[in-house]
Amino acid sequence: MTRDILQTEWCEADQLLPGDRLLLQNHRDNPDWPGSHHFEEGYLLGLLIGDGVLKANTAVLSVWMPKAANEDRMAANGSRSIMREALDCALSLPHRSDFRGWSAIPGRAEHRLTLAAIKALAEHFGMRPGYKAITPAMEKTSSAFQRGLLRGLFDTDGSVQGSQSKGVSVRLAQSEYGHLGSRTTNTAAIGYFFPNLFPAPTSGAEAVTGWPW
């Protein structure tokens, strides 16, 4: 590398040596790229990873609603928004003619959406019962899928913290520290850089990634 010439070559990460200089992609100005799969599929898998259950015969998404309408009006509106978006996305997948979307669970402030097509999609990307995570196959999809995946994750596990006077941050809490690497890779790919706020936690601690605004 000189003032006038920049020569680069690709290599595998384990081939890097001390002193090597890295050229990183900057997608902030152009966070769109073609590829397989679309926003709707990414959003449903984001909800599944964040707060769903992958069973042997189906996949179940859950959304929690305040029991009283006046208990937390903002949270209730947020839950309804997630449910509308998820239903629209689910209807884009193969489904039975009698599919009705969300069902209220008696005695619980929970609504569930069950669809075998979400299970098939999750398995296509390498997930299985007992293993929900962003897989390498998901990182090779279109930018639309990436945005949907991240939106689903943040809709379930994300939060906005702070105040205008002290500063605001958007955070994503995860119980598995190792999963944060995939999250930060995906956000960086679409032009947003989220630092991991804590080092690898001890057993039982919670890892957090966030972006201070």
Side-chain angles (χ1 to χ4, degrees):
M1 181 176 66
T2 68
R3 175 184 293 181
D4 302 314
I5 299 176
L6 176 63
Q7 294 181 329
T8 64
E9 64 177 355
W10 181 89
C11 77
E12 296 181 356
D14 61 2
Q15 300 299 313
L16 293 173
L17 300 174
D20 286 348
R21 294 188 175 186
L22 305 182
L23 181 65
L24 303 180
Q25 292 181 320
N26 181 0
H27 288 170
R28 283 178 169 171
D29 295 329
N30 185 24
D32 297 306
W33 63 88
S36 60
H37 300 280
H38 47 74
F39 173 90
E40 290 80 3
E41 293 171 314
Y43 186 70
L44 292 170
L45 291 186
L47 295 179
L48 177 63
I49 295 171
D51 200 8
V53 178
L54 188 56
K55 298 184 176 182
N57 61 338
T58 192
V60 182
L61 307 182
S62 291
V63 169
W64 300 86
M65 185 78 68
K67 294 181 180 179
N70 59 355
E71 180 179 328
D72 190 336
R73 188 176 300 276
M74 184 174 295
N77 289 338
S79 296
R80 293 189 186 99
S81 177
I82 294 171
M83 292 170 65
R84 285 194 299 268
E85 184 68 39
L87 179 57
D88 288 343
C89 293
L91 291 173
S92 72
L93 299 181
H95 57 277
R96 293 166 46 121
S97 59
D98 59 352
F99 174 65
R100 294 294 180 267
W102 293 96
S103 300
I105 305 303
R108 297 167 60 91
E110 180 186 6
H111 288 70
R112 292 178 184 172
L113 185 150
T114 302
L115 188 62
I118 300 177
K119 171 186 177 290
L121 184 64
E123 291 180 337
H124 168 76
F125 280 104
M127 289 196 287
R128 59 185 182 276
Y131 176 71
K132 299 185 305 171
I134 295 179
T135 64
M138 295 181 192
E139 298 180 358
K140 300 176 182 179
T141 55
S142 68
S143 58
F145 179 93
Q146 300 286 323
R147 285 194 295 271
L149 180 68
L150 290 169
R151 178 172 169 181
L153 283 169
F154 276 88
D155 276 354
T156 51
D157 289 341
S159 63
V160 178
Q161 300 183 21
S163 63
Q164 291 184 344
S165 59
K166 296 182 179 180
V168 177
S169 65
V170 179
R171 301 191 177 190
L172 180 67
Q174 297 286 278
S175 59
E176 294 286 344
Y177 182 83
H179 291 173
L180 287 178
S182 297
R183 272 64 165 177
T184 52
T185 297
N186 291 103
T187 56
I190 62 173
Y192 296 95
F193 296 89
F194 282 69
N196 290 342
L197 300 184
F198 300 114
T202 57
S203 177
E206 185 177 65
V208 179
T209 187
W211 181 27
W213 281 1

